[in-house]
């Protein structure tokens, strides 16, 4: 499985960006896709994720400003980011997580990341 992100870029504070990530290859029907971000020298942190059933989870910093959605038929997840702040500047990574309950194994697939820069 390969994940390809798109939609990063430079935006002014208060602006919006929409990130997209598409998984190629086979994902289990039951999976979670999401977005993490990382600033150099800091740990990668969850921004938001969404299950194949549509359950969402947001970091406190993302609540009320970001919206995650997905298109299961296309193995695609989107992150609509509104009212962006300079502190949102980071490299954003897409993640797909799935569990093989038969084998008792978990799988994680990561994209290469897309840079988001918010100027003040």
């Amino acid at each position: 499985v390969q994940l390809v992100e798109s939609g990063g870029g430079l935006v002014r504070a208060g602006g919006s960006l929409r990130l997209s990530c598409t998984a190629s290859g086979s994902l289990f029907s039951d999976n979670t896709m999401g977005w993490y971000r990382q600033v150099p020298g800091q740990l990668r942190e969850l921004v938001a994720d969404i299950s194949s059933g549509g359950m969402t989870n947001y970091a406190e910093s993302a609540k009320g400003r970001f919206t995650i959605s997905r298109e299961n038929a296309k193995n695609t997840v989107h992150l609509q980011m509104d009212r962006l702040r300079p502190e949102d500047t980071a490299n954003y990574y897409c993640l797909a997580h799935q569990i093989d309950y038969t084998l008792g194994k978990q799988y994680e697939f990561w994209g290469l990341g897309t840079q988001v820069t918010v100027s003040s």
Side-chain angles (χ1 to χ4, degrees):
V1 175
Q2 290 187 325
L3 304 181
V4 178
E5 302 110 331
S6 62
L10 173 64
V11 65
R12 288 188 175 182
S16 299
L17 282 174
R18 179 177 170 88
L19 305 182
S20 296
C21 169
T22 297
S24 61
S26 296
L27 286 177
F28 297 165
S29 58
D30 181 10
N31 64 76
T32 297
M33 297 184 75
W35 291 93
Y36 284 69
R37 66 187 184 188
Q38 187 170 25
V39 175
Q42 297 185 20
L43 295 175
R44 192 171 295 187
E45 64 177 12
L46 172 71
V47 178
D49 62 27
I50 182 168
S51 71
S52 48
M55 290 186 63
T56 59
N57 178 40
Y58 291 92
E60 284 298 321
S61 60
K63 288 180 180 178
R65 300 187 300 127
F66 296 178
T67 303
I68 192 168
S69 61
R70 63 184 292 165
E71 300 176 69
N72 287 338
K74 298 181 180 179
N75 283 340
T76 296
V77 62
H78 305 286
L79 184 68
Q80 177 66 39
M81 303 187 293
D82 299 316
R83 294 186 283 140
L84 282 161
R85 306 166 179 165
E87 53 263 39
D88 294 316
T89 295
N91 206 358
Y92 284 69
Y93 296 89
C94 179
L95 166 72
H97 175 264
Q98 59 191 21
I99 300 173
D100 186 330
Y101 291 99
T102 302
L103 297 178
K105 290 185 176 181
Q106 298 189 47
Y107 301 91
E108 286 189 349
F109 307 99
W110 290 92
L112 296 179
T114 184
Q115 179 66 34
V116 171
T117 302
V118 184
S119 63
S120 57

